Amino acid sequence: VIDDQKKPKEKVIVGYNMHLNKKLAKGIKVLCQTEGKKFEELTTHNLSRKFIVIHFGNGDEEDYAGIEVFLAPFGEHKLHIFPGNPYGFVEFEEQKAADALVTNCTKSPENVVANSKEIQFASRVRNVFFFPTELNVENLSRANMTDFPNATTLVDIPGLIVLPDFITAEQEAAMVSEIDKGEWHSLANRRVQHYGYEFIYGLNSIDKNKQIGPLPDFSQEVLSRVHTLPGIAEQGPFDQLTIN
């Protein structure tokens, strides 16, 4: 005889919610590993004006713009997005603004101090989680990483050569026009074109036995100039190009 009262209660999680909970668990794992802290050290059950924001993006302008539009109606705040990381930080000036955010969000499963909301980004809708925290942004390991990479930022990386204005604005416009005439292949967060050989994501390599065609005509002039740069000529001719 089985005593029904002693049987463990099953949680019924269906479809979308199951996917959401798995994604939340992954987001928490990445957050804790990156910060080198336990989840309990990063979040709080208390009311707070500050939130760690897991957005599952690349930490770029799209993430900042989408979250900023969503947060604007609640009140004055400061949003920090960390380039290359799927989470950020926001602090409201007033507690009532933070409380309004929490009220507007969906509460997460029990024992998880987070509030979620579907937010429209430029490319698609994403669930974003807001974790109340008593930490300041300066307490996070990525606090000094708030400048989005851009073509005008010069960085000192051994082996990386930056050549400002290597092509003219007119050449750029002409190349973009030709590129857009080609066929784009959609990936999770971007679109790509492959020439010469298809780049195999995950392996970060190509199959040299499967050439898909020559490099496009619009790239030849630029590639010929690149091939004359110091340290490039001896490497042989270019045979693969990925555009995204």
Side-chain angles (χ1 to χ4, degrees), residues 1 4 16 38 46 51 61-63 66 70 72 86 92 111 123 126 156 162 166 170 186 190 192 196 201-202 227 235:
V1 178
D4 288 338
Y16 182 72
K38 295 180 180 179
N46 300 324
F51 299 85
E61 291 95 334
E62 179 182 346
D63 300 324
F70 169 70
F92 288 94
N111 300 324
S123 59
R126 265 188 263 147
D156 184 17
V162 179
F166 188 71
E170 291 75 17
S186 297
R190 63 188 184 280
V192 301
Y201 296 97
H227 205 263
Q235 296 184 25

PDB file of all heavy atoms in Angstrom, residues 1 4 16 38 46 51 61-63 66 70 72 86 92 111 123 126 156 162 166 170 186 190 192 196 201-202 227 235:
ATOM      1  N   VAL A   1       0.856  -1.184   0.000  1.00  0.00           N
ATOM      2  CA  VAL A   1       0.000   0.000   0.000  1.00  0.00           C
ATOM      3  C   VAL A   1       0.890   1.232   0.000  1.00  0.00           C
ATOM      4  O   VAL A   1       1.811   1.332   0.808  1.00  0.00           O
ATOM      5  CB  VAL A   1      -0.927   0.027   1.237  1.00  0.00           C
ATOM      6  CG1 VAL A   1      -1.762   1.292   1.224  1.00  0.00           C
ATOM      7  CG2 VAL A   1      -1.809  -1.196   1.235  1.00  0.00           C
ATOM      8  N   ASP A   4      -0.396   7.975  -0.279  1.00  0.00           N
ATOM      9  CA  ASP A   4      -0.333   9.082  -1.236  1.00  0.00           C
ATOM     10  C   ASP A   4       0.272  10.338  -0.643  1.00  0.00           C
ATOM     11  O   ASP A   4       0.848  11.165  -1.338  1.00  0.00           O
ATOM     12  CB  ASP A   4      -1.734   9.402  -1.780  1.00  0.00           C
ATOM     13  CG  ASP A   4      -2.211   8.326  -2.734  1.00  0.00           C
ATOM     14  OD1 ASP A   4      -1.349   7.598  -3.282  1.00  0.00           O
ATOM     15  OD2 ASP A   4      -3.430   8.226  -2.914  1.00  0.00           O
ATOM     16  N   TYR A  16       6.753  25.935 -23.093  1.00  0.00           N
ATOM     17  CA  TYR A  16       7.542  27.154 -23.055  1.00  0.00           C
ATOM     18  C   TYR A  16       8.190  27.356 -21.696  1.00  0.00           C
ATOM     19  O   TYR A  16       9.347  27.742 -21.604  1.00  0.00           O
ATOM     20  CB  TYR A  16       6.648  28.339 -23.402  1.00  0.00           C
ATOM     21  CG  TYR A  16       7.384  29.646 -23.447  1.00  0.00           C
ATOM     22  CD1 TYR A  16       8.263  29.918 -24.494  1.00  0.00           C
ATOM     23  CD2 TYR A  16       7.213  30.596 -22.457  1.00  0.00           C
ATOM     24  CE1 TYR A  16       8.946  31.120 -24.544  1.00  0.00           C
ATOM     25  CE2 TYR A  16       7.887  31.795 -22.505  1.00  0.00           C
ATOM     26  CZ  TYR A  16       8.753  32.054 -23.545  1.00  0.00           C
ATOM     27  OH  TYR A  16       9.425  33.242 -23.591  1.00  0.00           O
ATOM     28  N   LYS A  38      28.755  32.765  -5.429  1.00  0.00           N
ATOM     29  CA  LYS A  38      27.549  31.962  -5.365  1.00  0.00           C
ATOM     30  C   LYS A  38      26.345  32.842  -5.690  1.00  0.00           C
ATOM     31  O   LYS A  38      26.363  34.058  -5.487  1.00  0.00           O
ATOM     32  CB  LYS A  38      27.396  31.336  -3.978  1.00  0.00           C
ATOM     33  CG  LYS A  38      28.482  30.335  -3.618  1.00  0.00           C
ATOM     34  CD  LYS A  38      28.253  29.775  -2.225  1.00  0.00           C
ATOM     35  CE  LYS A  38      29.332  28.759  -1.852  1.00  0.00           C
ATOM     36  NZ  LYS A  38      29.137  28.221  -0.480  1.00  0.00           N
ATOM     37  N   ASN A  46      15.578  40.962  -0.366  1.00  0.00           N
ATOM     38  CA  ASN A  46      15.113  42.259   0.108  1.00  0.00           C
ATOM     39  C   ASN A  46      14.773  43.188  -1.058  1.00  0.00           C
ATOM     40  O   ASN A  46      15.233  42.989  -2.191  1.00  0.00           O
ATOM     41  CB  ASN A  46      16.188  42.914   0.984  1.00  0.00           C
ATOM     42  CG  ASN A  46      16.544  42.076   2.193  1.00  0.00           C
ATOM     43  OD1 ASN A  46      15.675  41.413   2.777  1.00  0.00           O
ATOM     44  ND2 ASN A  46      17.814  42.083   2.568  1.00  0.00           N
ATOM     45  N   PHE A  51      19.543  45.888  -9.761  1.00  0.00           N
ATOM     46  CA  PHE A  51      19.247  44.577 -10.332  1.00  0.00           C
ATOM     47  C   PHE A  51      20.405  44.126 -11.222  1.00  0.00           C
ATOM     48  O   PHE A  51      20.979  44.929 -11.963  1.00  0.00           O
ATOM     49  CB  PHE A  51      17.979  44.618 -11.190  1.00  0.00           C
ATOM     50  CG  PHE A  51      16.733  45.002 -10.452  1.00  0.00           C
ATOM     51  CD1 PHE A  51      16.406  46.340 -10.276  1.00  0.00           C
ATOM     52  CD2 PHE A  51      15.889  44.031  -9.930  1.00  0.00           C
ATOM     53  CE1 PHE A  51      15.254  46.710  -9.601  1.00  0.00           C
ATOM     54  CE2 PHE A  51      14.733  44.390  -9.249  1.00  0.00           C
ATOM     55  CZ  PHE A  51      14.418  45.730  -9.082  1.00  0.00           C
ATOM     56  N   GLU A  61      25.216  46.894 -28.513  1.00  0.00           N
ATOM     57  CA  GLU A  61      24.300  48.033 -28.597  1.00  0.00           C
ATOM     58  C   GLU A  61      22.843  47.595 -28.675  1.00  0.00           C
ATOM     59  O   GLU A  61      21.952  48.277 -28.172  1.00  0.00           O
ATOM     60  CB  GLU A  61      24.657  48.893 -29.814  1.00  0.00           C
ATOM     61  CG  GLU A  61      25.973  49.627 -29.690  1.00  0.00           C
ATOM     62  CD  GLU A  61      27.117  48.847 -30.338  1.00  0.00           C
ATOM     63  OE1 GLU A  61      26.994  47.601 -30.408  1.00  0.00           O
ATOM     64  OE2 GLU A  61      28.104  49.471 -30.752  1.00  0.00           O
ATOM     65  N   GLU A  62      22.588  46.458 -29.331  1.00  0.00           N
ATOM     66  CA  GLU A  62      21.205  45.963 -29.432  1.00  0.00           C
ATOM     67  C   GLU A  62      20.650  45.635 -28.053  1.00  0.00           C
ATOM     68  O   GLU A  62      19.494  45.952 -27.754  1.00  0.00           O
ATOM     69  CB  GLU A  62      21.143  44.724 -30.325  1.00  0.00           C
ATOM     70  CG  GLU A  62      19.735  44.143 -30.439  1.00  0.00           C
ATOM     71  CD  GLU A  62      19.668  42.892 -31.292  1.00  0.00           C
ATOM     72  OE1 GLU A  62      20.637  42.598 -32.006  1.00  0.00           O
ATOM     73  OE2 GLU A  62      18.626  42.205 -31.235  1.00  0.00           O
ATOM     74  N   ASP A  63      21.461  45.004 -27.208  1.00  0.00           N
ATOM     75  CA  ASP A  63      21.018  44.684 -25.849  1.00  0.00           C
ATOM     76  C   ASP A  63      20.725  45.959 -25.071  1.00  0.00           C
ATOM     77  O   ASP A  63      19.705  46.071 -24.385  1.00  0.00           O
ATOM     78  CB  ASP A  63      22.085  43.860 -25.125  1.00  0.00           C
ATOM     79  CG  ASP A  63      22.376  42.547 -25.826  1.00  0.00           C
ATOM     80  OD1 ASP A  63      21.435  41.951 -26.376  1.00  0.00           O
ATOM     81  OD2 ASP A  63      23.542  42.129 -25.843  1.00  0.00           O
ATOM     82  N   GLY A  66      17.444  47.790 -26.465  1.00  0.00           N
ATOM     83  CA  GLY A  66      16.198  47.107 -26.139  1.00  0.00           C
ATOM     84  C   GLY A  66      15.819  47.227 -24.681  1.00  0.00           C
ATOM     85  O   GLY A  66      14.658  47.504 -24.338  1.00  0.00           O
ATOM     86  N   PHE A  70      12.715  49.536 -22.670  1.00  0.00           N
ATOM     87  CA  PHE A  70      11.798  48.900 -21.723  1.00  0.00           C
ATOM     88  C   PHE A  70      11.833  49.590 -20.355  1.00  0.00           C
ATOM     89  O   PHE A  70      10.791  49.790 -19.716  1.00  0.00           O
ATOM     90  CB  PHE A  70      12.158  47.428 -21.558  1.00  0.00           C
ATOM     91  CG  PHE A  70      11.449  46.746 -20.419  1.00  0.00           C
ATOM     92  CD1 PHE A  70      10.094  46.482 -20.471  1.00  0.00           C
ATOM     93  CD2 PHE A  70      12.153  46.378 -19.274  1.00  0.00           C
ATOM     94  CE1 PHE A  70       9.431  45.874 -19.405  1.00  0.00           C
ATOM     95  CE2 PHE A  70      11.511  45.768 -18.209  1.00  0.00           C
ATOM     96  CZ  PHE A  70      10.150  45.512 -18.279  1.00  0.00           C
ATOM     97  N   ALA A  72      12.797  52.733 -19.546  1.00  0.00           N
ATOM     98  CA  ALA A  72      12.567  54.183 -19.519  1.00  0.00           C
ATOM     99  C   ALA A  72      11.281  54.612 -18.816  1.00  0.00           C
ATOM    100  O   ALA A  72      11.293  55.568 -18.024  1.00  0.00           O
ATOM    101  CB  ALA A  72      12.598  54.729 -20.951  1.00  0.00           C
ATOM    102  N   PRO A  86      26.513  38.067 -21.261  1.00  0.00           N
ATOM    103  CA  PRO A  86      25.051  37.993 -21.407  1.00  0.00           C
ATOM    104  C   PRO A  86      24.287  38.604 -20.237  1.00  0.00           C
ATOM    105  O   PRO A  86      23.128  38.284 -20.031  1.00  0.00           O
ATOM    106  CB  PRO A  86      24.804  36.483 -21.493  1.00  0.00           C
ATOM    107  CG  PRO A  86      25.866  35.889 -20.628  1.00  0.00           C
ATOM    108  CD  PRO A  86      27.077  36.764 -20.834  1.00  0.00           C
ATOM    109  N   PHE A  92      18.140  52.026 -10.162  1.00  0.00           N
ATOM    110  CA  PHE A  92      17.148  53.098 -10.221  1.00  0.00           C
ATOM    111  C   PHE A  92      17.463  54.141  -9.160  1.00  0.00           C
ATOM    112  O   PHE A  92      18.000  53.823  -8.092  1.00  0.00           O
ATOM    113  CB  PHE A  92      15.738  52.541  -9.989  1.00  0.00           C
ATOM    114  CG  PHE A  92      15.214  51.734 -11.146  1.00  0.00           C
ATOM    115  CD1 PHE A  92      15.368  50.357 -11.185  1.00  0.00           C
ATOM    116  CD2 PHE A  92      14.558  52.361 -12.200  1.00  0.00           C
ATOM    117  CE1 PHE A  92      14.892  49.609 -12.245  1.00  0.00           C
ATOM    118  CE2 PHE A  92      14.070  51.622 -13.267  1.00  0.00           C
ATOM    119  CZ  PHE A  92      14.237  50.249 -13.291  1.00  0.00           C
ATOM    120  N   ASN A 111      12.009  30.006  -4.893  1.00  0.00           N
ATOM    121  CA  ASN A 111      13.409  29.954  -4.487  1.00  0.00           C
ATOM    122  C   ASN A 111      14.349  30.618  -5.480  1.00  0.00           C
ATOM    123  O   ASN A 111      15.565  30.565  -5.317  1.00  0.00           O
ATOM    124  CB  ASN A 111      13.867  28.504  -4.239  1.00  0.00           C
ATOM    125  CG  ASN A 111      13.062  27.819  -3.151  1.00  0.00           C
ATOM    126  OD1 ASN A 111      12.684  28.461  -2.169  1.00  0.00           O
ATOM    127  ND2 ASN A 111      12.784  26.544  -3.333  1.00  0.00           N
ATOM    128  N   SER A 123      16.407  42.323 -33.253  1.00  0.00           N
ATOM    129  CA  SER A 123      16.349  41.100 -34.047  1.00  0.00           C
ATOM    130  C   SER A 123      15.204  40.177 -33.665  1.00  0.00           C
ATOM    131  O   SER A 123      14.652  39.480 -34.511  1.00  0.00           O
ATOM    132  CB  SER A 123      17.680  40.341 -33.934  1.00  0.00           C
ATOM    133  OG  SER A 123      17.959  40.020 -32.581  1.00  0.00           O
ATOM    134  N   ARG A 126      13.106  38.569 -26.595  1.00  0.00           N
ATOM    135  CA  ARG A 126      13.882  37.750 -25.671  1.00  0.00           C
ATOM    136  C   ARG A 126      13.339  37.900 -24.264  1.00  0.00           C
ATOM    137  O   ARG A 126      12.880  38.975 -23.883  1.00  0.00           O
ATOM    138  CB  ARG A 126      15.349  38.186 -25.662  1.00  0.00           C
ATOM    139  CG  ARG A 126      16.263  37.425 -26.572  1.00  0.00           C
ATOM    140  CD  ARG A 126      17.698  37.833 -26.292  1.00  0.00           C
ATOM    141  NE  ARG A 126      18.161  38.856 -27.217  1.00  0.00           N
ATOM    142  CZ  ARG A 126      19.017  39.811 -26.896  1.00  0.00           C
ATOM    143  NH1 ARG A 126      19.493  39.899 -25.677  1.00  0.00           N
ATOM    144  NH2 ARG A 126      19.397  40.684 -27.803  1.00  0.00           N
ATOM    145  N   ASP A 156      45.572  47.723 -28.240  1.00  0.00           N
ATOM    146  CA  ASP A 156      46.919  47.170 -28.345  1.00  0.00           C
ATOM    147  C   ASP A 156      46.860  45.674 -28.084  1.00  0.00           C
ATOM    148  O   ASP A 156      46.923  45.224 -26.952  1.00  0.00           O
ATOM    149  CB  ASP A 156      47.843  47.865 -27.333  1.00  0.00           C
ATOM    150  CG  ASP A 156      49.286  47.383 -27.471  1.00  0.00           C
ATOM    151  OD1 ASP A 156      49.604  46.794 -28.503  1.00  0.00           O
ATOM    152  OD2 ASP A 156      50.077  47.591 -26.517  1.00  0.00           O
ATOM    153  N   VAL A 162      45.559  47.473 -36.996  1.00  0.00           N
ATOM    154  CA  VAL A 162      44.409  48.319 -37.321  1.00  0.00           C
ATOM    155  C   VAL A 162      44.844  49.347 -38.362  1.00  0.00           C
ATOM    156  O   VAL A 162      45.816  50.074 -38.160  1.00  0.00           O
ATOM    157  CB  VAL A 162      43.870  49.037 -36.066  1.00  0.00           C
ATOM    158  CG1 VAL A 162      42.696  49.938 -36.438  1.00  0.00           C
ATOM    159  CG2 VAL A 162      43.453  48.029 -35.012  1.00  0.00           C
ATOM    160  N   PHE A 166      41.259  52.335 -44.503  1.00  0.00           N
ATOM    161  CA  PHE A 166      41.916  51.489 -45.517  1.00  0.00           C
ATOM    162  C   PHE A 166      41.163  51.539 -46.839  1.00  0.00           C
ATOM    163  O   PHE A 166      41.756  51.418 -47.908  1.00  0.00           O
ATOM    164  CB  PHE A 166      41.991  50.050 -45.008  1.00  0.00           C
ATOM    165  CG  PHE A 166      42.802  49.135 -45.867  1.00  0.00           C
ATOM    166  CD1 PHE A 166      44.187  49.250 -45.926  1.00  0.00           C
ATOM    167  CD2 PHE A 166      42.194  48.144 -46.636  1.00  0.00           C
ATOM    168  CE1 PHE A 166      44.949  48.409 -46.728  1.00  0.00           C
ATOM    169  CE2 PHE A 166      42.941  47.302 -47.443  1.00  0.00           C
ATOM    170  CZ  PHE A 166      44.330  47.430 -47.489  1.00  0.00           C
ATOM    171  N   GLU A 170      33.226  55.704 -50.368  1.00  0.00           N
ATOM    172  CA  GLU A 170      32.620  55.314 -51.638  1.00  0.00           C
ATOM    173  C   GLU A 170      32.865  53.828 -51.923  1.00  0.00           C
ATOM    174  O   GLU A 170      31.966  53.118 -52.395  1.00  0.00           O
ATOM    175  CB  GLU A 170      33.177  56.167 -52.777  1.00  0.00           C
ATOM    176  CG  GLU A 170      32.771  57.632 -52.758  1.00  0.00           C
ATOM    177  CD  GLU A 170      33.510  58.437 -51.692  1.00  0.00           C
ATOM    178  OE1 GLU A 170      34.552  57.953 -51.199  1.00  0.00           O
ATOM    179  OE2 GLU A 170      33.036  59.536 -51.347  1.00  0.00           O
ATOM    180  N   SER A 186      20.808  32.801 -42.467  1.00  0.00           N
ATOM    181  CA  SER A 186      20.475  33.259 -41.117  1.00  0.00           C
ATOM    182  C   SER A 186      21.004  32.307 -40.050  1.00  0.00           C
ATOM    183  O   SER A 186      20.838  31.090 -40.154  1.00  0.00           O
ATOM    184  CB  SER A 186      18.959  33.407 -40.962  1.00  0.00           C
ATOM    185  OG  SER A 186      18.467  34.393 -41.850  1.00  0.00           O
ATOM    186  N   ARG A 190      22.697  36.450 -36.132  1.00  0.00           N
ATOM    187  CA  ARG A 190      23.206  37.251 -37.237  1.00  0.00           C
ATOM    188  C   ARG A 190      22.983  36.506 -38.555  1.00  0.00           C
ATOM    189  O   ARG A 190      22.510  35.379 -38.561  1.00  0.00           O
ATOM    190  CB  ARG A 190      24.695  37.552 -37.047  1.00  0.00           C
ATOM    191  CG  ARG A 190      25.586  36.323 -37.042  1.00  0.00           C
ATOM    192  CD  ARG A 190      27.009  36.673 -36.654  1.00  0.00           C
ATOM    193  NE  ARG A 190      27.914  35.547 -36.728  1.00  0.00           N
ATOM    194  CZ  ARG A 190      28.025  34.606 -35.811  1.00  0.00           C
ATOM    195  NH1 ARG A 190      27.259  34.647 -34.740  1.00  0.00           N
ATOM    196  NH2 ARG A 190      28.898  33.624 -35.937  1.00  0.00           N
ATOM    197  N   VAL A 192      24.972  35.555 -42.440  1.00  0.00           N
ATOM    198  CA  VAL A 192      26.323  35.413 -42.985  1.00  0.00           C
ATOM    199  C   VAL A 192      26.291  35.066 -44.471  1.00  0.00           C
ATOM    200  O   VAL A 192      25.279  34.595 -44.997  1.00  0.00           O
ATOM    201  CB  VAL A 192      27.137  34.315 -42.246  1.00  0.00           C
ATOM    202  CG1 VAL A 192      27.247  34.629 -40.760  1.00  0.00           C
ATOM    203  CG2 VAL A 192      26.501  32.949 -42.455  1.00  0.00           C
ATOM    204  N   GLY A 196      34.319  30.799 -51.208  1.00  0.00           N
ATOM    205  CA  GLY A 196      35.502  29.940 -51.235  1.00  0.00           C
ATOM    206  C   GLY A 196      35.219  28.614 -50.563  1.00  0.00           C
ATOM    207  O   GLY A 196      35.078  27.566 -51.217  1.00  0.00           O
ATOM    208  N   TYR A 201      30.815  26.582 -38.139  1.00  0.00           N
ATOM    209  CA  TYR A 201      30.734  27.070 -36.767  1.00  0.00           C
ATOM    210  C   TYR A 201      30.679  25.883 -35.807  1.00  0.00           C
ATOM    211  O   TYR A 201      30.087  24.868 -36.080  1.00  0.00           O
ATOM    212  CB  TYR A 201      29.508  27.966 -36.591  1.00  0.00           C
ATOM    213  CG  TYR A 201      29.581  29.222 -37.434  1.00  0.00           C
ATOM    214  CD1 TYR A 201      28.942  29.288 -38.669  1.00  0.00           C
ATOM    215  CD2 TYR A 201      30.311  30.313 -37.008  1.00  0.00           C
ATOM    216  CE1 TYR A 201      29.028  30.433 -39.455  1.00  0.00           C
ATOM    217  CE2 TYR A 201      30.408  31.462 -37.779  1.00  0.00           C
ATOM    218  CZ  TYR A 201      29.765  31.517 -39.007  1.00  0.00           C
ATOM    219  OH  TYR A 201      29.869  32.650 -39.779  1.00  0.00           O
ATOM    220  N   GLY A 202      31.285  26.045 -34.661  1.00  0.00           N
ATOM    221  CA  GLY A 202      31.382  24.950 -33.701  1.00  0.00           C
ATOM    222  C   GLY A 202      32.736  24.289 -33.817  1.00  0.00           C
ATOM    223  O   GLY A 202      33.411  24.049 -32.821  1.00  0.00           O
ATOM    224  N   HIS A 227      47.090  41.791 -49.406  1.00  0.00           N
ATOM    225  CA  HIS A 227      48.140  40.782 -49.644  1.00  0.00           C
ATOM    226  C   HIS A 227      49.527  41.407 -49.735  1.00  0.00           C
ATOM    227  O   HIS A 227      50.539  40.709 -49.625  1.00  0.00           O
ATOM    228  CB  HIS A 227      47.833  40.007 -50.921  1.00  0.00           C
ATOM    229  CG  HIS A 227      48.432  38.639 -50.949  1.00  0.00           C
ATOM    230  ND1 HIS A 227      49.620  38.361 -51.571  1.00  0.00           N
ATOM    231  CD2 HIS A 227      48.019  37.474 -50.386  1.00  0.00           C
ATOM    232  CE1 HIS A 227      49.913  37.076 -51.418  1.00  0.00           C
ATOM    233  NE2 HIS A 227      48.959  36.522 -50.702  1.00  0.00           N
ATOM    234  N   GLN A 235      52.026  34.321 -46.797  1.00  0.00           N
ATOM    235  CA  GLN A 235      51.038  33.355 -46.327  1.00  0.00           C
ATOM    236  C   GLN A 235      50.257  32.695 -47.466  1.00  0.00           C
ATOM    237  O   GLN A 235      49.447  31.809 -47.228  1.00  0.00           O
ATOM    238  CB  GLN A 235      50.062  34.026 -45.358  1.00  0.00           C
ATOM    239  CG  GLN A 235      50.714  34.522 -44.073  1.00  0.00           C
ATOM    240  CD  GLN A 235      49.716  35.083 -43.088  1.00  0.00           C
ATOM    241  OE1 GLN A 235      48.544  34.722 -43.112  1.00  0.00           O
ATOM    242  NE2 GLN A 235      50.165  35.961 -42.215  1.00  0.00           N
TER     243      GLN A 235
END
